[in-house]
Amino acid sequence: MCTANNSAANGAAATQTKTAFYKNPQFWRGAGTGLAIGSGIMSASSAITSGRAEQANLTAQARAVETQAALDELSTNRQIKYDLQNAAFQVRQARRAGRQNYGKQLVAAAANGTDLSSVSFEDVVLDSLRAEQEDIDFIKRTASARAGEMQLQAELNKVGAHGQAEQMRIAGKYAKKAGRINAYSSILSSAAMVAGMWGGAK
């Protein structure tokens, strides 16, 4: 009789214990704590990863900008060199044309019986030489001015590219820092949530 009563009491206690396990607020607080902590850790990890990825992306863009600036500068220098070589060729052509013109003037003057030492003939020759020199000076000035403008623009582009790249690098550093701050915020939020769960526990 006593044994039967003990068995029944033990069974009832086990049932109560099982039932109390699911109804116990401590269990749900513990489960909520685990979820809150896990969520905070995942959010913190995601924030750090995102910040680092953004920094890497901006750093890559900065390098691309600087690389393109270097290529543009190289292309500009090549163009300047080509333009100056072309100007030098045009100067040689102008001088050759001047010598040919002078030769033609001598032949024509001799054929007409003109005195090659006369003032009138010297004036004609001097006029031709002045025109030739003016053409040569114009070619040189134009080439020099164009080269100067291109060189200045290349320098301005280079400075602008370096400034843009530096801004990207700074933005990348702030992105990484923001990721860490967001990670700390996630952890603190999780801690506050856990504290709220257990703050009213008795």
Side-chain angles (χ1 to χ4, degrees), residues 11 24 26 33 58 89 131 150 158 164 189-190:
N24 188 353
Q26 301 289 342
T33 298
L58 289 170
F89 173 77
M150 293 178 67
K158 184 177 180 180
Q164 183 180 1
S189 296
S190 298

Side-chain angles (χ1 to χ4, degrees), residues 32-199:
T33 298
L35 290 174
I37 293 174
S39 176
I41 292 173
M42 290 181 63
S43 296
S45 177
S46 176
I48 291 174
T49 301
S50 177
R52 289 176 177 174
E54 182 65 14
Q55 182 186 33
N57 179 48
L58 289 170
T59 299
Q61 291 183 30
R63 289 174 181 169
V65 168
E66 290 178 333
T67 299
Q68 186 60 50
L71 292 174
D72 291 343
E73 183 181 22
L74 181 61
S75 176
T76 298
N77 290 336
R78 287 178 176 173
Q79 184 62 46
I80 290 173
K81 183 178 180 180
Y82 172 80
D83 288 347
L84 293 177
Q85 289 176 342
N86 186 52
F89 173 77
Q90 292 179 18
V91 168
R92 291 195 296 270
Q93 291 291 93
R95 286 175 176 164
R96 183 178 295 111
R99 288 194 297 269
Q100 292 175 351
N101 186 49
Y102 178 67
K104 292 178 180 178
Q105 288 174 336
L106 286 176
V107 172
N112 293 331
T114 303
D115 184 3
L116 300 181
S117 62
S118 64
V119 175
S120 59
F121 180 74
E122 289 180 356
D123 288 340
V124 171
V125 172
L126 288 175
D127 288 341
S128 298
L129 291 175
R130 278 194 293 268
E132 174 189 338
Q133 190 60 45
E134 287 176 357
D135 291 341
I136 291 174
D137 290 341
F138 177 77
I139 293 171
K140 289 182 177 180
R141 283 196 306 271
T142 301
S144 179
R146 175 175 168 79
E149 291 175 0
M150 293 178 67
Q151 189 66 47
L152 177 60
Q153 188 61 50
E155 289 295 330
L156 292 175
N157 292 341
K158 184 177 180 180
V159 171
H162 283 308
Q164 183 180 1
E166 186 61 23
Q167 289 179 352
M168 288 178 176
R169 288 193 176 93
I170 292 173
K173 291 179 181 178
Y174 279 111
K176 184 179 179 180
K177 185 176 181 180
R180 290 198 299 265
I181 293 173
N182 290 335
Y184 296 148
S185 298
S186 297
I187 293 173
L188 291 175
S189 296
S190 298
M193 187 180 299
V194 171
M197 291 177 183
W198 292 94

